[in-house]
Amino acid sequence: MAYLGPRLGSSRVFHPGVSAFRLLSSAGMDDMGPAMSRSSLERLDFDNVALKKLPLDPSEEPGVRLVKGACFSRVKPQSLTKPRFVAVSHQAIALLGLDGEEVMNDPLGPEYLSGSKVMPGSEPAAHCYCGHQFGQFAGQLGDGAACYLGEVKVPPGQDPELLRENPSGRWEIQVKGAGLTPYSRQADGRKVLRSSIREFLCSEAMFFLGVPTTRAGSVVTSDSRVIRDVYYNGHPSNERCSVVLRIAPTFISRFGSFEIFKPADEFTGRQGPSYGRDEIRGQMMDYVIEVFYPEIQQNYPDRVERNVAFFREVVLRTARLVAQWQCVGFCHGVLNTDNMSILGLTLDYGPYGFMDRFDPDFICNASDNSGRYSYQAQPAICRWNLVKLAEALAPELPPDRAEAVLDEYMDLYNSFYLENMRKKLGLLKKEDPEDEILITKLLQTMHNTGADFTNTFRSLSQISCPTEGDGEGEEDCVKKATDLLMEQCASLEELKAANKPTMDPRELAMLLSMAQSNPMLFQMISDRATIARQLERLSKLKDLMETSQDELKTKQAEEWTCWITQYRKRLAYELEGQSDVQAVQEERVRVMDSTNPRVVLRNYIAQNAIEAAENGDFSEVQQVLKVLEKPFSSQPGLELPAWVGGGGTTAQGERDEGEEQQQGASTCTARNPVPYDSKPPAWAREICVT
């Protein structure tokens, strides 16, 4: 059962200086009345409850400092030079009662949504939190680049489904990349175009995939610059400061928010800045439960029982979230306690990645040398983080009660995972105990054949159910299905590249020797799981070196034929006793095609959009957003990147004014374009995300 895998055990861009709105204003638009002259962003109805209910740092001194006894520090966002929109998510911005087109055409839009200009009613602040990073307590962290702008009241007529898990009646908005805060440490509080585009697109992609997430309303870039060493190789580059507008019920919801009270850590010696201020912990729990879990507040008059029920809900939401990640092949990359939400939302998009070729050991973060945050480790790591949350909530949450709730996590996760996987396979009418084995064998076959995760699952709805009177014989149906899935398998060269050890052979030999001769030193500098993965890669690579492409294809076909035969037997069982077989089959296809996405935000798709934007062309970011808004559907006219047939540029009026016209094609336009729903091109293997 090793591979039930993850188990435990074009919108127009506004350009300053050419707006009709600005010309009207200079001609005396104020005379038309305040309602006409005010930007819609100036009419947002702020109600900043968090700043009223939770302790605010009395100091407003500039610079990085330790912030004691407070959940927030007031800050002043740093303005950008010539801010301008890269893209706006109309659906996300509508949460605030705003019209996306109106915002994009607003001369003040890029200023307000980058923090360069403060909206009326906004109270900029940075949140104080701590966190365990890569397993070690890091002490005070906090919003080093993010800035709370305030909480906007939900506009009338908001979709009740959007409010189901946000009963607060407000949406918190914050900007990421708006400059220094007391929590910036050695950094500058700025973000650049590439990271901002990745966060913007993935936040929205996850929402439309049905995965709980924070949202992203816009990306703004500018002529302000910062120096970044992208690959940490001593070759820094000058990059544009950019800002993402983030939207969520609250961002004061990190596990690490409650770790500011932690006593000195036995390993690192660090402690939370508010250690000893237990009354603030009580305030925070009261605020979070009353505002975001009102039913729990109402149903549990006893404080301890209320807190236990709250923790149980956090455990449930976390289990559900990570099961959804696993089922869409999403890897977060940095599951530190400060990057996890008590609301069960995907939070903080850094070095994330959607798997291409299925690999349970997939690591999307090139900085994660130990594989702590690999794909298959995510469920266990989320439980570990829940343990740390429970520790942070004590004594408000009695440890023995917390432990009993944590014991429920594995069963919850496996239940959510199996439920999602049954939908992905179209097993809707019956639950068979053998389903887990069928899923395990599917993942094992995908791994062995190097099959593409997203496209393989998408293809399964095309495999027919065995029915009486079917014109095709069983053998022909199985061969047809095998040929279909073989299209998603890796070639010999791709598998060789995938199984090449990431560790230098001499280093590996030295560590193997050390594991025998000096186990204590070995444990300090490496671990057996890492060495085991390297040895497994070497073994697979050796086998592949002795295999031809034809032999590989034959073996891949045999494995898929075996699994497809079992799958069709299970589909036949689905139909037993059903009076309307045709209706059952149609429902199966409908559910599968609305569960298995056609498109996910693969790294190469994001990279193409980033490179185009860095060359002044924002149309690809905008088009990718459109595609990701309907990930389960075919979208005629949006199959290929925006530059195909357009010479790699937007219309002249849409080009980023801050860029000089580039000579020749950009890097991405020089590549052979592939459809968004294709397996990744060969060059995608070179993308490195840290």
Side-chain angles (χ1 to χ4, degrees), residues 496-618:
K496 284 180 181 178
N499 285 286
K500 185 178 179 181
T502 56
M503 190 179 290
D504 185 280
R506 292 168 296 183
E507 181 185 359
L508 180 58
M510 180 196 72
L511 289 171
L512 286 169
S513 175
M514 186 183 298
Q516 298 295 323
S517 62
N518 194 338
M520 290 185 66
L521 180 59
F522 171 78
Q523 288 180 357
M524 291 173 64
I525 63 176
S526 189
D527 63 272
R528 295 188 181 277
T530 300
I531 299 301
R533 282 197 298 270
Q534 296 296 317
L535 292 174
E536 184 181 4
R537 283 172 172 259
L538 270 175
S539 177
K540 287 184 178 180
L541 182 60
K542 181 177 180 294
D543 290 341
L544 290 166
M545 296 298 287
E546 298 170 356
T547 302
S548 69
Q549 177 65 44
D550 288 342
E551 289 170 333
L552 176 67
K553 287 190 70 174
T554 299
K555 186 177 180 181
Q556 289 173 333
E558 288 172 353
E559 291 203 45
W560 277 117
T561 296
C562 180
W563 184 81
I564 290 165
T565 300
Q566 291 179 302
Y567 180 48
R568 280 172 54 82
K569 285 180 181 178
R570 176 63 179 85
L571 292 178
Y573 177 54
E574 278 283 290
L575 298 178
E576 287 181 10
Q578 299 295 324
S579 58
D580 191 340
V581 171
Q582 182 67 24
V584 172
Q585 295 200 62
E586 288 175 357
E587 182 189 7
R588 167 183 165 255
V589 171
R590 179 185 59 77
V591 170
M592 292 178 74
D593 285 351
S594 61
T595 306
N596 296 314
R598 185 184 67 85
V599 175
V600 294
L601 183 61
R602 299 176 189 260
N603 272 337
Y604 83 90
I605 295 175
Q607 188 64 24
N608 278 338
I610 289 165
E611 290 181 8
E614 287 177 336
N615 282 298
D617 179 2
F618 302 153

Side-chain angles (χ1 to χ4, degrees), residues 59-343:
S59 172
E60 294 188 31
E61 65 178 274
V64 174
R65 63 183 187 274
L66 194 68
V67 176
K68 300 180 180 181
C71 297
F72 289 99
S73 301
R74 292 198 184 276
V75 296
K76 295 179 180 178
Q78 295 171 268
S79 62
L80 297 172
T81 303
K82 292 186 179 178
R84 50 197 172 274
F85 282 124
V86 175
V88 168
S89 170
H90 292 217
Q91 297 209 36
I93 214 82
L95 294 172
L96 309 178
L98 296 170
D99 177 84
E101 199 67 36
E102 184 180 347
V103 168
M104 290 193 80
N105 291 327
D106 186 340
L108 299 175
E111 293 183 74
Y112 280 137
L113 298 188
S114 66
S116 299
K117 189 177 181 68
V118 177
M119 290 175 278
S122 171
E123 297 181 76
H127 176 43
C128 181
Y129 55 83
C130 292
H132 281 79
Q133 299 191 320
F134 284 87
Q136 302 295 321
F137 185 65
Q140 177 178 293
L141 298 171
D143 285 336
C147 173
Y148 164 103
L149 295 182
E151 298 156 68
V152 176
K153 288 183 180 179
V154 169
Q158 190 107 112
D159 183 352
E161 185 62 25
L162 292 171
L163 301 176
R164 186 164 54 88
E165 293 183 0
N166 178 22
S168 71
R170 296 179 306 281
W171 292 103
E172 181 185 325
I173 58 174
Q174 69 169 215
V175 282
K176 185 174 180 180
L180 290 167
T181 78
Y183 313 105
S184 296
R185 291 173 283 173
Q186 290 80 37
D188 55 22
R190 289 301 194 187
K191 295 297 176 182
V192 296
L193 194 53
R194 52 191 164 82
S195 61
S196 299
I197 287 173
R198 281 177 57 83
E199 170 147 4
F200 172 77
L201 289 176
C202 200
S203 299
E204 294 304 279
M206 292 290 270
F207 174 77
F208 290 105
L209 286 170
V211 180
T213 180
T214 59
R215 302 292 299 274
S218 63
V219 185
V220 171
T221 194
S222 69
D223 283 356
S224 301
R225 299 268 185 171
V226 286
I227 301 294
R228 292 288 187 268
D229 189 349
V230 184
Y231 299 110
Y232 306 102
N233 60 4
H235 298 286
S237 57
N238 208 348
E239 300 193 56
R240 292 188 179 278
C241 293
S242 303
V243 173
V244 177
L245 177 77
R246 308 206 292 187
I247 306 169
T250 180
F251 288 92
I252 315 151
S253 59
R254 303 168 185 271
F255 287 11
S257 298
F258 292 92
E259 292 188 291
I260 63 174
F261 315 104
K262 181 177 168 56
D265 185 77
E266 60 179 317
F267 297 108
T268 65
R270 301 186 184 101
Q271 70 178 36
S274 294
Y275 170 62
R277 300 292 302 272
D278 291 352
E279 77 282 1
I280 299 178
R281 182 197 290 111
Q283 275 184 265
M284 288 178 66
M285 291 194 72
D286 288 346
Y287 171 74
V288 166
I289 297 172
E290 288 172 8
V291 174
F292 301 104
Y293 293 99
E295 289 186 3
I296 291 175
Q297 180 71 21
Q298 293 162 13
N299 295 338
Y300 294 89
D302 180 84
R303 186 176 184 85
V304 170
E305 295 304 319
R306 181 202 71 167
N307 293 347
V308 171
F310 160 69
F311 185 62
R312 177 174 283 110
E313 182 66 19
V314 175
V315 168
L316 182 145
R317 292 191 186 198
T318 302
R320 181 180 63 191
L321 177 66
V322 70
Q324 290 175 281
W325 288 349
Q326 303 303 97
C327 289
V328 294
F330 175 79
C331 196
H332 185 284
V334 194
L335 281 176
N336 298 328
T337 57
D338 55 296
N339 291 337
M340 291 194 66
S341 163
I342 59 164
L343 300 183

Side-chain angles (χ1 to χ4, degrees), residues 418-419 421-423 425-436 438-439 567 569-579 581 584 587-588:
L418 189 55
E419 178 186 0
M421 276 293 181
R422 281 197 171 109
K423 288 181 182 178
L425 269 67
L427 310 178
L428 312 176
K429 297 298 180 183
K430 298 172 183 176
E431 294 185 5
D432 191 314
E434 300 293 306
D435 288 348
E436 292 190 31
L438 184 68
I439 294 165
Y567 180 48
K569 285 180 181 178
R570 176 63 179 85
L571 292 178
Y573 177 54
E574 278 283 290
L575 298 178
E576 287 181 10
Q578 299 295 324
S579 58
V581 171
V584 172
E587 182 189 7
R588 167 183 165 255

